Every structure is written in structure tokens, then in C-alpha cells.
Amino acid sequence: MPFLSDFDFAIFVVIFLFMTVVLVFMGVKSVPQGQQWTVERFGKYTKTLEPGLNLIIPAVDVVGKKLSMMEEVMDIPAQNIITKDNAMVRVDGVVFYQIISAAQAAYQVSNLTNALMNLTTTNIRSVMGAMILDEVLSKRDVINTHLLRIVDDASTPWGMKVLRVEIKDIAPPQDLVDAMGRQMKAERDKRANILEAEGLRQAEILQAEGEKQAVILEAEGRRESAFRDAEARERFAQAEARATEVIARAIENGNMQALNYLIAIKYMEAVNRLATSENTKLLLMPLETSGVIGALAGIKEIIKEGTFGR
């Protein structure tokens, strides 16, 4: 019997050691970095285990939820949205969020990811449904900011922080895309026509300015030419006046060559008019012409006398 007693004692020791190891294993918890575990005692939340080694009461405390505290990414499936001006577009997105309170995330909502997805989906429909199509297509940053504020405020009781809400793709129907393409083409054609008209207008303005400047320069040239002609006529008149004065003085002094000179001048002027006439085909010169020309040579002597007589 002593043998049996020793054997029973050995079995007891082994069972005791085994139970001790099991209890120690159950009471020591190693939490990985980036996670937090909730602890429940008889079904009630008691505390949160931080990363590292943690001790709990075996068989009394149990691990409830194991939650990741790192930033998570959730894809929002595509959905059809009707805008304010009754245009249908297909939209999908993505949400970046992070759990900041493990207890609230574990016990304030039954399915955290599903709740966040439905919350984001409904708010995308609400925000974009209150905008016209042009605003939906052009104000994506405004939509993202508005969605972030709404979703973050609504999910705060769940112990999480929504970091970003991004609209990934906005796809209008194909007929609407074709209509927008035609509209853009019409706008580009309109701008091209406006630029072409502006170019033609500027060219006409420059041409008019050039013609105006040419007219001004031509008028300036005519004025200068008239001035030169007037100056030449004035000088010619002065020369004729001087010649007439000299001839008159010579006639007063009894020089008959001066009288012959006047007659010869008038004679040559008449001959010149006849020679340059358009109707003149043949001009007959009288024999006395040589005498008249000889009389002109005497003017040299008259001019000398008049000059030296002064």
C-alpha cells in the first residue's frame, strides 16, 4: 500500500505541476505591437491589454476582442448616385481609419467595418446627391472634406478616428460623357473663333493705322514739295524782276538791244508754246529767227552793264 501511496502522490504532483503550467500559460498574455486586447471577467469588460506581457486571472479573465490599432484602409464599393440635376453617376471610394479606443470599438458597435462602410456609403449618396453634375465632377476636394467631417463625427462614439475619405472614381453614363465631349468641343471652337476674330480685328486696325500713316506721310511730302515749288517760283520771280529792272534801266539809257531782248523773249515763248502743243505736227521757223537768237546774245552785255553800273 505504501507503494500505491507514493504512486498516487507522484501522480498528484504531476497533475499539480501541469495545472500550474496551464494556469500560468492562461494568465500570461503577450500582446503583439500594434494591437490591443480587451479582457472580460464573467462576460463583463474589465480592462485593455497593451502590447507586451500582461497578466490576467486564469479561468476568471478571458480575452474578449483582439483589435488592430494601426491605420486601416477600407474600399467603398461602387454605387449609382443621382445628382441634384437628375444625372446618374457611378462612384466608388476609399476610407482610411484608425481605432483609438479598443473598448469602444469592441462594445459600442457589433460590426465595426460593416458599420463604417454603410455610414460612408449613405453619406456619399447624401452629399453628392445635393450637388449638380458639374460640381460633382469639379469639386472632388470639397466632397472629400465634407465626407470626412460627417463620417468622422458620426464614428467618434465607436472609438475610431477617420483620417481620410477619398472619392476614387466618378463615372457618368456614356451618353452623358459624349454630350460633355461635344460641349467641350463647342467651347474650344468658340474660343478659336473668338481668337481668330480678334486676330482679324487687330490686323485691320494695324492696316488702317498703316494706311493712315501713309496718308500722313504723303501729305507731308506734298506740303514739302509745294513749299519747295513756292520757294523756286519766288526765286524765279525775283530773278525775273531783277532782269526786268536791268532791261528797263538799259532802255532808259538808250540801249536798244534791251528792247530787242524783250521782243526776242516773247517771241521764243510763243514758239515754245507752238512747239509743245499736242496738235502741232510741223513747225516752220521764219528766217528772222536767227536774228532773234542773235539778239538774245546781247543780253549778256546788258546784264554786265547793269551789274557794273551799280
Side-chain angles (χ1 to χ4, degrees), residues 7 35 104 137 213 250 282 286 301:
F7 179 76
Q35 291 187 4
Q104 289 179 306
L137 297 176
Q213 191 66 25
L282 180 63
E301 298 298 330

Side-chain angles (χ1 to χ4, degrees), residues 217-274:
L217 292 177
E218 184 180 357
E220 291 288 338
R222 288 197 302 270
R223 188 183 71 171
E224 184 68 20
S225 177
F227 176 78
R228 298 294 184 185
D229 291 342
E231 185 178 6
R233 288 194 298 270
E234 181 181 1
R235 292 182 179 180
F236 180 75
Q238 292 176 355
E240 282 191 344
R242 180 182 175 188
T244 302
E245 181 183 357
V246 172
I247 292 172
R249 188 180 299 111
I251 293 174
E252 290 178 358
N253 295 331
N255 191 344
M256 296 306 296
Q257 289 184 353
L259 182 59
N260 293 335
Y261 170 75
L262 286 176
I263 295 173
I265 288 297
K266 297 299 181 180
Y267 182 81
M268 293 304 297
E269 289 179 355
V271 171
N272 183 52
R273 285 195 297 271
L274 290 174

